[in-house]
């Protein structure tokens, strides 16, 4: 009888040990699944999860998983590009009603364009931004100036846009160019998109303008994410002549 009871105890102990191993394996698999999920979401938790898993985390300004990866900018390999609405969320301005429509005729550079307005060809200077120089014969082409001009052409093309004046600004600048905000048909504010995507600096000429707070926030977030001209591999946020051959 003593041997039988001892044998039963050993068998029971073996089953308990196996049960503990199975429970530990299930908990490990569950913890790994949770860490993988957090890693895929990006952000601080994603970086922490990646570290615990021994996987590399994204460098500042780079996208994390392929699901959140952003297309590269023209002329700047591996530079992320973001939509302004994704960067600003609820802080993104809403397009007003009743704006005048104009046909884009030509993009001069990242902050200047020609439009057909009221049967006339009119040159516009965009309010609230300044892009690196690319066409002024008196100045050298600046770092990211060509990229900014190309991006403006991509966003505007020859499409119809909506123009918004700002009562707090002059009607025209000292060169006679009409001062306006330019809205795209999809509800995006072109002036703001150029800043948010890293192609332009926020620019206040004299008086604060209508969307100044949103534009400055867009520049801050583009800089934090090292987008476009803020990237160390492009201009590092500096206004300087473009490198020859680049």
């Amino acid at each position: 009888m003593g041997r039988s009871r001892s044998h039963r105890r050993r068998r029971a102990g073996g089953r308990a040990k196996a049960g503990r191993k199975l429970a530990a394996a299930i908990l490990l698999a569950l913890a790994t699944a949770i860490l993988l999920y957090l890693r895929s979401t990006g952000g601080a938790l994603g970086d922490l999860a990646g570290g615990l898993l021994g996987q590399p985390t994204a460098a500042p300004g780079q996208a994390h998983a392929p699901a959140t990866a952003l297309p590269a900018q023209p002329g700047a390999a591996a530079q992320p590009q973001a939509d302004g609405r994704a960067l600003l969320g609820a802080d993104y301005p809403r397009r007003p009603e009743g704006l005048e429509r104009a046909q884009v005729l030509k993009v001069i550079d990242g902050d200047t364009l020609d439009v057909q307005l009221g049967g006339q060809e009119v040159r516009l200077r965009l309010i609230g931004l300044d892009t690196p120089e690319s066409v002024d014969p008196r100045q050298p082409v600046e770092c990211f100036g060509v990229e900014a001009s190309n991006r403006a052409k991509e966003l505007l093309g020859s499409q119809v846009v909506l123009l918004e004046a700002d009562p707090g600004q002059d009607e025209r600048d000292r060169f006679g160019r009409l001062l306006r905000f330019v809205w795209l048909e999809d509800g995006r504010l072109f002036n703001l998109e150029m800043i948010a995507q890293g192609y332009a600096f926020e620019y206040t000429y004299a008086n604060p303008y209508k969307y100044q707070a949103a534009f400055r926030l867009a520049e801050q977030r583009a800089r934090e994410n090292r987008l476009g001209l803020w990237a160390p591999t492009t201009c590092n946020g500096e206004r300087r002549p473009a490198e020859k051959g680049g």
Side-chain angles (χ1 to χ4, degrees):
M1 295 293 292
R3 290 182 180 177
S4 179
R5 285 195 296 270
S6 176
H7 180 67
R8 286 196 294 270
R9 284 197 296 271
R10 285 196 298 272
R11 290 183 62 186
R15 287 195 295 269
K17 186 176 180 180
R20 288 194 295 270
K21 287 183 177 179
L22 178 60
I26 293 173
L27 288 174
L28 178 60
L30 180 61
T32 302
I34 292 173
L35 288 173
L36 287 172
Y37 171 75
L38 291 175
R39 179 69 181 86
S40 70
T41 63
L45 287 176
D47 290 343
L48 176 60
L52 292 173
L53 289 168
Q55 298 175 355
T57 57
Q62 293 180 333
H64 283 265
T68 58
L70 297 167
Q73 297 169 1
Q79 291 303 314
Q81 175 177 295
D83 184 286
R85 289 175 294 197
L87 284 180
L88 298 188
D91 292 310
Y92 200 93
R94 288 189 177 184
R95 188 177 69 197
E97 299 293 334
L99 300 180
E100 58 184 346
R101 304 172 73 86
Q103 173 74 47
V104 176
L105 299 176
K106 182 180 181 181
V107 173
I108 306 303
D109 58 19
D111 54 40
T112 310
L113 60 146
D114 291 339
V115 300
Q116 187 80 19
L117 181 64
Q120 295 183 328
E121 183 175 334
V122 179
R123 178 152 297 184
L124 298 185
R125 174 60 166 87
L126 303 172
I127 300 172
L129 76 155
D130 190 30
T131 56
E133 186 55 57
S134 64
V135 295
D136 191 338
R138 300 167 299 176
Q139 300 183 39
V141 174
E142 293 182 320
C143 180
F144 232 64
V146 173
E147 289 83 353
S149 180
N150 289 341
R151 184 56 177 159
K153 292 172 184 176
E154 289 179 357
L155 287 173
L156 294 173
S158 57
Q159 64 181 290
V160 174
V161 294
L162 295 97
L163 307 182
E164 180 184 2
D166 188 335
Q169 305 297 305
D170 292 333
E171 179 72 4
R172 295 180 181 270
D173 68 4
R174 60 194 180 96
F175 300 107
R177 298 174 297 187
L178 201 63
L179 296 173
R180 291 291 186 269
F181 297 108
V182 172
W183 290 88
L184 305 178
E185 290 278 15
D186 63 8
R188 288 183 296 168
L189 178 52
F190 172 76
N191 311 48
L192 178 56
E193 289 298 324
M194 291 293 285
I195 298 172
Q197 296 182 23
Y199 291 97
F201 300 95
E202 185 278 330
Y203 176 67
T204 301
Y205 176 67
N207 302 321
Y209 53 90
K210 180 178 179 180
Y211 302 114
Q212 186 186 65
F215 282 28
R216 289 183 171 178
L217 179 60
E219 182 182 84
Q220 175 189 329
R221 294 188 176 169
R223 182 172 63 249
E224 291 170 350
N225 286 283
R226 300 180 181 181
L227 299 177
L229 58 80
W230 299 103
T233 54
T234 58
C235 317
N236 205 30
E238 300 174 9
R239 300 203 66 144
R240 61 170 186 252
E243 295 181 5
K244 292 183 179 180

